[in-house]
Each structure stands twice: as C-alpha cells, then as structure tokens.
Amino acid sequence: MVRGLETHQLALSTVGQNLSNDATPGYSREEVNMVPTAGDEIYGLYGREYVGSGVDAASISRIRDIFLDKHYWNNNSQKEYYNQRQQNYNFLENIFNDSQVNSTDVGLKSSINSFWKAWQTLSTNADATDNRINVRNTAQTMCDKIHDMAQKVQGQINTNYQQLQADITTINQITGQILDLNKNIVMREATGGKANALRDQRDALVDKLSKYLNINVVEQSNGAYAVSSNGSVLVDGRSNLQLGVQEQNNKDYGITDYNIIFKETGTIFSPTGGQVKAIQDSVAEDKTYIDKLANFSAFFLTTFNAQHQEGYGIDGANNGEGTTDTNFFGDNTVQYSWQYKQLDKDFETSYVEVMPGKNATNKEKVQLRGINIINALNVSEKIMGPDGINYIAAKGANIFTGTQNFTDKNGNPVSPDGYTDHNGHQVVPGDCVDADGNYVDYEHRIPANNGTAGPANGDNAVTLSNLFNTSLSKAVINSEVRKVSGMAVAADGTMTSFSPTQNDSLDSFYNNSMVTLGTNANVTDQNVTKMQAVVTQLENMRQSVSGVNWNDELTNMIKFQQGYSACSRVLTTMDQMLDKLINGTGMVGRG
C-alpha cells in the first residue's frame, strides 16, 4: 500500500505537470508507466504461494508518434519551399506587372506597344519631325524600362542571397543546439529514465530545422538524434557539420553567386527541399527572367537593327537619298548578330556576337550574354545626336520577293516563286530587286545605286513595325536579316537555329513569357494552399497524440486520487485490524 501511495502520488504529480504545460509550445504530455512489483514468497497450508507486493512506476514516458513527426518534418519542408517560391513569384509579378496604375499603363508591354505604334505612325508620314522624335523617345523609354526591370531582378537575386546567408547562420545555430541536447540526453539517460523535457526541446528544434532543409532523423541506440539532409549527416551524438557560403562572381548576370559548402571539407552541399532549396531555385528562376529581358534586348540589337539598316534616312547623303546601314540601337560602329548554340536537346548557350565595323577602334569580336546584352541596349549615339532623327531609316529601298507578287514599271509580273530579270539573272524568293524588276545584290541594294523609291515613303517603317507582331518565319525580311537574327534552316526544311525570340514575333514571345510566369505563380499558389492544409492536418494529428487534453487529464486526476484514497483506506483498515488484534483480544494479542 505504501508503494501504491507513492506511485499514485507520482501519477497525480504527472497530471499536474501536463495541466500546467497545456499552453507550452512543443510540450508532449507524459504518463506514468505502472508495473506490478515481484510477489513475496510465503508458505501456506498447501505449499508455497506468491503474494503481490504492490505497484511501482517503471518510467515516465512522453506520448509521441515518431511516424507523425517524420511526416510533419517532410511536409513542413515542402510547405516552406513553396512559401518561399511564392514570395519570389510575387516579386517577379510586380516587376512584370502590365496592369494600370492611375489609368496609366506601367509595364514593359506598354513601352513596347508605344514604340510599335510610333513606327506605325511614322510609316504613314515618314517626313514628319514629330513622328521621328516620337520614335526616338519611345525607344529610349523602352530601353530605360528594360534596364530598370533588370536591375530590380538583380536586386531580388541579391535579396535572396542575403536570406540564404541568414538561413545558413540559423541552421548552424540549430544543429549546434541539437548537438548540445544530444549530449545532455545521452548523459542523463545513461542511468535510466527519460529526459523528456530535453527531448521536447530537441524535437522543437528539429521542427524548426525542417523549415530550412529536407531532413531525415534517426534516433540512435543511446538516444541521440542523427539528422541528415540529402545523404549528409548534419549532426549526431558527437559532432555537427558547419555550413558556409562560397562566393563566385557572375559577370553574365552582374551579381555575386553563392554556393553552399561544408566548412570542414569545402565540398558543395545541395539541399533538395525546404526554404534554402527554394532560395536557390528562385535565384535560378530570376536569372531566366534576366535572360528573357536579354532576349528582348537581343531582338532589337540584332533583328531590328539589321532591318533598320535595310532602309535609309532623310539626311541628304547618298545623292540625296539618305544614309543607310545605320544601327538604331547600340553602337553604330559594330554589327550585332545572334549566335544560337544547341549543346543538347535540353540546354543551349546563345549570345550576341559583336563584330567590329570599319569605323570601330576595337577590332576584336565580343560575346554578350545576360545583363551585358541589356546594358548594350540604348538608342545609338548617332540617332540620339544632333539631327539624329534624320538617320531613322523609315524609307524603303528595294523590293523583297519573299512573300509578295508585284509588277515592275514595265508591266512585267514578278512572282515569289522565282523568275528571270531583264539581265537574265535568275531571281529566287528572298532576293532583292529594284523598281525595274532587276536583281540587286546585297552590297548594291542602296537606292543611290539601284531603285527609285520615293522620298520618305515609309516602306521600311512598315516592315519594322510588322516585326513586332509577325513571326520571323513569315516576316518579309531578306536572307541577310535572317542570318543576323540567328535563323538557319537545314536541307530538309527544319530549323537548326533560332532567333532570340525563338523565331516568334516579339509580341508573342513576350506574351508567352508572361503566361509562363502567371501559370507558374498560380501553380505555386495552389501548392502553398495544399501543403498548408497537409501540414495543419499533421499538426492536429500530432496534437491529438501528444497534446494535453483537459478532459483526459481531469479523468486521470480523479482516477489516481481515488486510487490514492483507496490505498490510504486499506492502510487504515489494516491499522484497525492490528489495533483490534493487539488491544481487543486480551493477553493473546499482546504475546
């Protein structure tokens, strides 16, 4: 009965412990494991008997389901991954926002459309000064918008990396604390019993760690946790690995990249989940949108410039016809071309190749990628300079036979299927002919030498404006422009290389990019909602096992109180029996 009193008193104390920690984060309810003690051996009338000697508390256990914990850690890692990706997508959507602010279009699409409309207006009246100024101004506004957006994406990448470094510091602190708890738990449990409070603290730290990394937890035989991520053990009962970052300058994106390494070995660590992995994936995603902005810029430096060179301005050069071979964007002393390199079916490396012109001081070829393409995109100094609007090549020179039928001034029909000109030259689709229907080789397409196009007729402005919303595969451009654009066709008719806009129109390429951004952001939003529901459900399940239930605890309190009272009553009864035996039975009881 004395053991019964002590055991029930311990059980009541445990109930009090549970009730007092009802609101303590990470607390796991405890219960006393009661076991009967070994019986005492006595000899009776019929031989040897064993009489129970009471009850004992074998241990005080935490009520915890390790399988629910593992599910929680795994899904919490996924939830935090999508939460971080959602934040990054929200920022990208703000950068590429094409909605209106105070009834004003603010996005890149608006700037591109304004530039396109300016060319359409110029094509109807190519002599008008206001039209030419508008083309130049909207062009520079578009360039400034692209530069600003690229800088904001760079800023987001730097913000992500700052978050990464902060997360690495937090991870090292958590694994260090888990190591200390591992050592204390092993030491305290070496002589029996369970260090339940320390175990709760350790599990709370593992919960926190699962926010940053995908983790796997194995409890070792001595009670220590071995926590690993992607096959690498971060902490066990004896040591923990420290994570760090390794800087790497990235000139293509104008940023400093950071790799995660183990400080002890210098080897790269690659997580597969959690907030840290989300940051790495977000940085990679941000770079793709710098690449998209670079593709927009490359379109203007290569395709647009090449077609602009096909026309001529109103500056009076070329026997009064005007200057041709002028870059609208970038450096006017160089030739930009798109070089498409397919390394395998899933990976390509493309760049803008800068070929020095005859007036260039630097005669070396240069390759531009990423942010360097964007930085090169500005209206050329020649067009921005004094009388620069006169060099805007709105006028068309020769007739391109790619997709059109026409009749020369002698009344001879010309077909894009091919024909023989007046000089006996076989003209094929894609060649240029002058107004007389005669073949004009590319070097002599300038109207001062061939052709009789009227003053400021705006033909080239029409072609340039069509490039905004016409697939390059269908656009009326000659083979030289296609070559500069990076397009090439194999003998069987299949495309072997592609322009910066994947041979699509600039408008379609931009719209497809924005649809991709919106779709990915929407899918991420759905995953956040789904994973939040999963983690909430798992946490509720964990609480149903480990959480303190007042009804259960009060029921246990009454049960253990009654047990304590019953043991006390037995002792009282035994005391009464002994008193009767000793004091109420005469001399017999006193012997």
Side-chain angles (χ1 to χ4, degrees):
M1 290 303 102
V2 172
R3 289 172 177 165
L5 289 173
E6 292 174 345
T7 301
H8 282 83
Q9 185 178 21
L10 178 61
L12 283 170
S13 297
T14 302
V15 169
Q17 169 78 355
N18 289 338
L19 291 173
S20 62
N21 284 280
D22 173 45
T24 303
Y27 177 77
S28 302
R29 69 183 179 90
E30 300 175 352
E31 69 177 14
V32 177
N33 297 315
M34 298 181 183
V35 294
T37 57
D40 291 333
E41 183 178 345
I42 63 172
Y43 290 90
L45 182 63
Y46 300 102
R48 188 165 49 187
E49 300 289 348
Y50 293 93
V51 179
S53 59
V55 65
D56 199 0
S59 63
I60 300 177
S61 300
R62 288 191 316 156
I63 307 303
R64 196 89 180 189
D65 189 329
I66 187 61
F67 297 105
L68 286 177
D69 285 337
K70 285 181 177 290
H71 281 300
Y72 177 85
W73 295 330
N74 179 56
N75 286 278
N76 190 47
S77 175
Q78 294 184 52
K79 184 200 76 171
E80 294 300 332
Y81 173 87
Y82 288 119
N83 279 339
Q84 183 66 33
R85 293 304 306 276
Q86 184 185 52
Q87 293 178 24
N88 193 69
Y89 276 124
N90 289 341
F91 195 88
L92 286 175
E93 287 184 312
N94 286 332
I95 294 176
F96 289 88
N97 183 11
D98 287 320
S99 61
Q100 290 187 335
V101 175
N102 296 327
S103 301
T104 303
D105 293 329
V106 296
L108 176 58
K109 186 176 180 64
S110 172
S111 296
I112 294 175
N113 284 341
S114 295
F115 185 45
W116 167 58
K117 291 176 181 178
W119 276 101
Q120 284 188 314
T121 303
L122 182 62
S123 68
T124 62
N125 188 356
D127 268 336
T129 300
D130 289 346
N131 292 346
R132 289 176 170 270
I133 292 175
N134 190 37
V135 165
R136 184 173 66 180
N137 290 347
T138 55
Q140 192 56 53
T141 299
M142 179 188 68
C143 294
D144 292 341
K145 184 66 178 178
I146 291 176
H147 294 163
D148 179 66
M149 294 170 71
Q151 290 172 4
K152 287 180 178 178
V153 178
Q154 283 180 313
Q156 176 64 5
I157 292 175
N158 291 331
T159 299
N160 279 325
Y161 275 136
Q162 290 172 6
Q163 181 66 52
L164 177 67
Q165 294 177 71
D167 287 353
I168 294 300
T169 300
T170 301
I171 290 169
N172 289 335
Q173 292 173 348
I174 293 174
T175 56
Q177 292 171 345
I178 292 176
L179 175 62
D180 291 340
L181 287 170
N182 271 344
K183 292 179 178 179
N184 287 331
I185 290 170
V186 170
M187 180 179 65
R188 291 194 180 191
E189 294 184 354
T191 56
K194 293 292 183 181
N196 291 332
L198 297 181
R199 284 176 171 268
D200 283 344
Q201 294 177 32
R202 185 175 63 181
D203 283 337
L205 287 172
V206 175
D207 286 353
K208 187 177 180 181
L209 184 61
S210 70
K211 169 184 176 181
Y212 301 99
L213 299 171
N214 59 303
I215 57 174
N216 182 52
V217 180
V218 176
E219 184 172 350
Q220 299 174 329
S221 58
N222 61 0
Y225 272 179
V227 183
S228 60
S229 178
N230 198 22
S232 299
V233 178
L234 301 178
V235 59
D236 56 18
R238 295 176 294 179
S239 63
N240 69 309
L241 291 177
Q242 292 282 308
L243 297 179
V245 293
Q246 184 182 62
E247 296 184 7
Q248 183 177 358
N249 187 32
N250 192 329
K251 295 181 179 179
D252 288 343
Y253 296 98
I255 59 171
T256 299
D257 280 323
Y258 293 90
N259 294 320
I260 305 175
I261 61 170
F262 290 111
K263 289 183 178 180
E264 291 80 1
T265 62
T267 55
I268 300 293
F269 171 63
S270 300
T272 58
Q275 184 170 294
V276 172
K277 175 61 175 174
I279 291 174
Q280 292 182 324
D281 288 350
S282 293
V283 168
E285 183 92 13
D286 294 340
K287 288 179 180 178
T288 66
Y289 282 92
I290 290 181
D291 288 336
K292 291 182 187 298
L293 291 172
N295 285 352
F296 302 152
S297 302
F299 169 86
F300 291 110
L301 289 172
T302 59
T303 307
F304 192 90
N305 268 349
Q307 184 58 46
H308 187 263
Q309 292 175 8
E310 296 301 303
Y312 55 100
I314 59 172
D315 57 298
N318 261 334
N319 297 325
E321 294 293 349
T323 298
T324 189
D325 290 327
T326 302
N327 279 341
F328 190 93
F329 292 102
D331 186 348
N332 193 56
T333 66
V334 303
Q335 175 70 53
Y336 300 96
S337 63
W338 182 251
Q339 302 296 321
Y340 176 90
K341 305 295 182 183
Q342 185 79 34
L343 300 184
D344 56 45
K345 66 176 183 177
D346 297 321
F347 185 73
E348 67 179 69
T349 175
S350 301
Y351 55 89
V352 170
E353 184 176 74
V354 183
M355 288 284 293
K358 61 183 179 180
N359 297 322
T361 56
N362 185 359
K363 299 297 183 180
E364 294 183 2
K365 292 182 181 179
V366 178
Q367 295 181 3
L368 301 180
R369 293 181 175 85
I371 196 69
N372 298 307
I373 299 176
I374 297 170
N375 291 338
L377 182 69
N378 281 293
V379 178
S380 70
E381 291 184 1
K382 187 169 185 177
I383 291 178
M384 290 297 292
D387 299 324
I389 58 173
N390 294 333
Y391 298 110
I392 296 176
K395 299 169 68 175
N398 308 115
I399 301 172
F400 176 62
T401 66
T403 61
Q404 57 184 312
N405 291 285
F406 68 95
T407 303
D408 66 19
K409 69 176 184 178
N410 297 317
N412 299 316
V414 178
S415 168
D417 296 329
Y419 69 100
T420 302
D421 69 7
H422 299 164
N423 298 318
H425 180 84
Q426 182 65 34
V427 179
V428 297
D431 286 340
C432 292
V433 297
D434 64 16
D436 294 326
N438 291 316
Y439 168 76
V440 182
D441 63 41
Y442 191 74
E443 295 298 326
H444 297 86
R445 71 196 187 285
I446 300 173
N449 298 323
N450 299 280
T452 57
N457 62 1
D459 288 348
N460 201 42
V462 173
T463 302
L464 286 169
S465 66
N466 287 338
L467 291 179
F468 285 82
N469 52 23
T470 303
S471 167
L472 294 187
S473 301
K474 299 179 180 179
V476 183
I477 54 177
N478 63 40
S479 57
E480 289 296 324
V481 177
R482 292 182 186 278
K483 181 180 178 181
V484 170
S485 299
M487 299 171 63
V489 183
D492 61 359
T494 59
M495 295 299 303
T496 57
S497 65
F498 300 87
S499 73
T501 58
Q502 297 294 301
N503 297 355
D504 214 336
S505 68
L506 183 70
D507 185 65
S508 294
F509 184 78
Y510 180 84
N511 288 337
N512 291 337
S513 300
M514 295 304 99
V515 167
T516 299
L517 173 59
T519 300
N520 291 341
N522 183 57
V523 170
T524 300
D525 290 342
Q526 293 177 5
N527 285 329
V528 167
T529 302
K530 179 182 70 175
M531 293 310 304
Q532 182 63 58
V534 171
V535 170
T536 300
Q537 183 182 30
L538 286 170
E539 178 59 24
N540 290 338
M541 293 173 67
R542 290 207 306 176
Q543 286 299 314
S544 69
V545 174
S546 302
V548 176
N549 185 300
W550 276 69
N551 290 331
D552 290 344
E553 297 303 324
L554 292 175
T555 300
N556 288 335
M557 183 179 68
I558 295 172
K559 179 176 69 174
F560 296 137
Q561 183 185 24
Q562 292 294 326
Y564 186 90
S565 298
C567 291
S568 301
R569 186 61 184 166
V570 171
L571 284 176
T572 301
T573 301
M574 293 177 66
D575 180 67
Q576 292 175 348
M577 291 172 60
L578 290 173
D579 178 70
K580 186 67 175 177
L581 176 64
I582 295 171
N583 298 314
T585 58
M587 295 299 295
V588 176
R590 302 175 186 177

